[in-house]
Amino acid sequence: METCDVLIVGGGPAGSSCAWKLRQHGMAVTLLDKSLFPRNKVCAGWITPAVVQALQLDTEEYARERVLQPITAFRTGLIHGREVETRYPGPVSFGIRRCEFDDFLLQRSSARLRLGETLKSLDKRGKQWIVNGAITTPLIIGAGGHFCPVARFLGAKLGASEPAVTAKEVEFEMTPQQSAECRVRADTPELYFCRDLKGYGWCFRKGDYLNIGLGREGNQGLAEQLGDFCDFLRQRGRIPGNIPDKFHGHAYLLYGHSQRKLLDDGVLLVGDAAGLAYPESGEGIRPAVESGLIAAAAIVEAGEDYRHQMLQAYPDRLRARFGPEVAASGAMVPGFVRSMLAGALLGSRWFARRVVLDRWFLHAHQPGLQ
Ligand SMILES: Cc1cc2nc3c(=O)[nH]c(=O)nc-3n(C[C@H](O)[C@H](O)[C@H](O)COP(=O)(O)OP(=O)(O)OC[C@H]3O[C@@H](n4cnc5c(N)ncnc54)[C@H](O)[C@@H]3O)c2cc1C
């Protein structure tokens, strides 16, 4: 039987960040992931500077063998509406490929990796967990994303009653001809909101790779909205005519829109498993990384006593960082007000820069985690 101080289920940014920090404190960490890495993850691959800071990423070193696309501008607007370009004096975000980024973080964490291994069973004997009948540990971290089996163990009704965001995207390497036809600039991602403001589509070029997708609250009308969005991009001549039609979908929860229990004796959830993505933008990598690091600090402070009251610092600090949970309706502004606002405001340069970009997407008002 293998033993470890902490077992982490899931090797995405939440799990690997938590493992990395715990290893720095000398803890024996085993990380289990059902996939073999490098693996892909359905994602646009946009990270904000707070992620680079929290992970202490050496961007020069990272970019030597991987895609790290600096972003210095955005085109924003309504689908079929007027668009606005906002430029910044230097990089305000980066584009990464999740297959590279997640693998880099996982290998760097120096956790003991059990890849290609699904969490199948979780039993408790006294204060010890027995995982898959093969590993014993006093503490389990659920970092398995939206459908995390540890979240289910804590009572989450996965996919049933939760108001999730659903999204679809495609990422592909463009041929030289597609590259020549594509008018999306690599330093200028494009974001276009649905008329009801319940979601938005993006078109994001990272070197020779193009990522196109759309995410919305709920799963009603996602395929139609995505089809309409791609038609709109083609009509405007933004993307090549012959993009692949195999879009991949995934779901996740926005912070404050979920009722998942985050903590119990000897177990806690981080990242998408905990439902932490920013409600305005759907950015989930930053909260995944930050929650992994915040959890690691709370675990170290708890000594080896992992009763839930000893780990309470974790949800308390999450709340202090991301704010009190908002109503679980999924809609912060009534529908008709949204559509009036959309038409009037999204075409305004001031609104695009100060509200949509600086506040909703870049969170410029919230400094990175120290
Ligand atoms: C279409 C789309 C676009 C997005 N674009 C962005 C973006 O541009 N920027 C951004 O910040 N966020 C984006 N997000 C959100 C972001 O992808 C997630 O918030 C982020 O990946 C959460 O990280 P995580 O580590 O919590 O989970 P994940 O990255 O989902 O990792 C979970 C891991 O757990 C493993 N796992 C799952 N089940 C099991 C099991 N039973 N046993 C063992 N292992 C298991 C999986 O294999 C996976 O490796 C996007 C999401 C979608 C759907």
Side-chain angles (χ1 to χ4, degrees):
M1 188 84 77
E2 179 181 332
T3 61
C4 57
D5 296 329
V6 181
L7 182 114
I8 301 179
V9 180
S16 61
S17 304
C18 190
W20 176 62
K21 198 41 85 183
L22 291 171
R23 289 288 301 129
Q24 287 174 0
H25 287 274
M27 296 185 77
V29 180
T30 297
L31 189 148
L32 195 82
D33 198 295
K34 65 179 180 183
S35 302
L36 293 170
F37 279 60
R39 60 103 176 85
N40 216 350
K41 159 75 180 80
V42 179
C43 185
W46 168 358
I47 56 169
T48 43
V51 172
V52 175
Q53 182 190 323
L55 292 171
Q56 294 168 22
L57 269 191
D58 177 342
T59 48
E60 252 176 55
E61 190 232 306
Y62 181 87
R64 225 167 270 145
E65 291 175 13
R66 301 164 201 92
V67 172
L68 187 72
Q69 175 62 56
I71 295 169
T72 54
F74 296 90
R75 278 169 91 97
T76 53
L78 267 187
I79 298 174
H80 299 297
R82 195 169 93 82
E83 61 217 59
V84 171
E85 190 163 302
T86 306
R87 303 206 72 80
Y88 292 85
V92 287
S93 281
F94 298 91
I96 48 95
R97 300 193 67 223
R98 288 294 298 270
C99 51
E100 296 173 346
F101 184 72
D102 289 18
D103 189 46
F104 171 83
L105 295 181
L106 191 59
Q107 303 304 333
R108 187 184 73 158
S109 74
S110 87
R112 185 180 151 78
L113 304 179
R114 294 179 68 130
L115 303 178
E117 193 172 332
T118 300
L119 178 77
K120 292 201 184 102
S121 65
L122 201 52
D123 302 300
K124 200 144 193 206
R125 248 179 248 152
K127 288 186 179 166
Q128 291 288 318
W129 296 98
I130 316 284
V131 181
N132 288 356
I135 312 164
T136 63
T137 181
L139 183 61
I140 303 275
I141 296 180
H146 181 62
F147 297 103
C148 180
V150 185
R152 190 192 305 268
F153 184 87
L154 283 178
K157 302 271 179 284
L158 306 191
S161 53
E162 296 181 316
V165 163
T166 52
K168 283 190 166 200
E169 60 95 38
V170 68
E171 181 166 300
F172 63 100
E173 187 170 13
M174 289 186 284
T175 62
Q177 194 193 339
Q178 286 172 323
S179 237
E181 278 177 36
C182 180
R183 284 171 54 201
V184 177
R185 286 202 312 270
D187 59 1
T188 311
E190 308 196 358
L191 307 169
Y192 300 97
F193 288 84
C194 303
R195 292 224 151 246
D196 59 7
L197 282 196
K198 286 190 174 178
Y200 66 92
W202 64 86
C203 191
F204 191 5
R205 185 174 187 163
K206 301 172 261 189
D208 290 334
Y209 293 88
L210 189 63
N211 187 303
I212 302 169
L214 187 135
R216 282 180 65 73
E217 289 170 18
N219 56 8
Q220 297 276 310
L222 178 63
E224 295 75 25
Q225 296 267 348
L226 178 62
D228 180 52
F229 176 54
C230 291
D231 288 345
F232 157 74
L233 290 174
R234 279 193 208 95
Q235 283 159 17
R236 295 266 165 115
R238 308 305 303 163
I239 59 172
N242 59 343
I243 62 166
D245 56 6
K246 228 177 166 15
F247 282 71
H248 301 280
H250 198 59
Y252 61 117
L253 296 168
L254 303 177
Y255 179 73
H257 294 184
S258 84
Q259 307 291 321
R260 287 191 180 180
K261 182 176 175 184
L262 301 192
L263 183 68
D264 208 337
D265 291 344
V267 54
L268 57 81
L269 303 179
V270 293
D272 273 7
L276 300 179
Y278 279 108
E280 306 88 350
S281 61
E283 176 187 5
I285 299 174
R286 176 175 176 179
V289 167
E290 292 190 351
S291 63
L293 298 176
I294 292 171
I299 290 163
V300 171
E301 285 164 25
E304 288 172 17
D305 183 350
Y306 300 132
R307 285 173 301 153
H308 71 275
Q309 59 270 35
M310 298 304 291
L311 296 168
Q312 186 57 36
Y314 170 60
D316 290 349
R317 285 177 198 164
L318 277 189
R319 205 164 296 117
R321 180 131 190 93
F322 297 112
E325 289 90 345
V326 292
S329 71
M332 290 158 71
V333 184
F336 73 95
V337 182
R338 286 182 179 212
S339 34
M340 279 163 50
L341 283 176
L345 292 176
L346 279 169
S348 140
R349 285 186 185 282
W350 179 88
F351 190 78
R353 177 185 284 267
R354 299 281 172 232
V355 181
V356 176
L357 295 170
D358 289 351
R359 196 153 188 97
W360 293 352
F361 280 83
L362 299 172
H363 304 284
H365 56 290
Q366 191 179 40
L369 193 69
Q370 293 301 321

